[in-house]
Amino acid sequence: MDQRDEQEFAEYFAARRDAVRRTAYMLCGDWHRADDLAQTAFVALHRRWKKIRDRAATDAYVRKTLVRASIDESRRPWRREWQTETLPEPSDDTPGLDDLVATREGLLAALKEVPPKQRAVLVLRFFEGLDVTGAAKALGCSEGNVKSQTARGLANLRQVLEREVETNG
């Protein structure tokens, strides 16, 4: 890349770094993994920077790369969660559902239990503010797929929250 392209990329990176990192955190629920995902997205963008003709589409490209990296990372064997037959007993000092949902941590913890593709749709739709069409473009799928993944994701999120109510009262 020439000096002008490097400068444009540096300006874009400085302007969007925090927003991309926050989106990555919403996708994975861990700041360290969010940093890795954001870095992956920006490295991919840097490689393709000269080929991008429409600079207005840069955010969409980064978002799509971020979602794909998040889904790929969740498929890694060491990231898989293991099911157990018995649930741990909640302690008496565990906050109730209203306290959990009222905090970001509670919602993010529940969001982590939603499957990766559904989580990606929920984050893009409700945290990034994209409509169905925008989310479909970011994910590279049909609008119908986004709608069904949104419905399934919300249903799974409700189940996780209801399970929390049953466990913690």
Side-chain angles (χ1 to χ4, degrees), residues 46-64:
H46 187 267
R47 273 192 243 124
R48 307 235 345 131
W49 188 258
K50 283 176 39 174
K51 296 178 183 177
I52 297 175
R53 289 186 223 138
D54 183 11
R55 296 287 189 217
T58 306
D59 285 343
Y61 177 80
V62 170
R63 210 173 8 253
K64 188 173 190 174

Side-chain angles (χ1 to χ4, degrees), residues 29-95:
D30 179 286
W31 283 112
H32 298 292
R33 284 182 60 206
D35 288 336
D36 292 343
L37 292 173
Q39 180 178 356
T40 299
F42 280 119
V43 167
L45 176 65
H46 187 267
R47 273 192 243 124
R48 307 235 345 131
W49 188 258
K50 283 176 39 174
K51 296 178 183 177
I52 297 175
R53 289 186 223 138
D54 183 11
R55 296 287 189 217
T58 306
D59 285 343
Y61 177 80
V62 170
R63 210 173 8 253
K64 188 173 190 174
T65 304
L66 194 64
V67 168
R68 286 183 175 172
S70 174
I71 291 170
D72 288 346
E73 179 69 15
S74 71
R75 292 178 179 156
R76 305 242 191 273
W78 58 85
R79 295 284 185 207
R80 294 186 187 133
E81 295 179 16
W82 299 99
Q83 301 287 330
T84 61
E85 291 297 320
T86 59
L87 294 173
E89 291 298 321
S91 62
D92 291 338
D93 59 347
T94 304

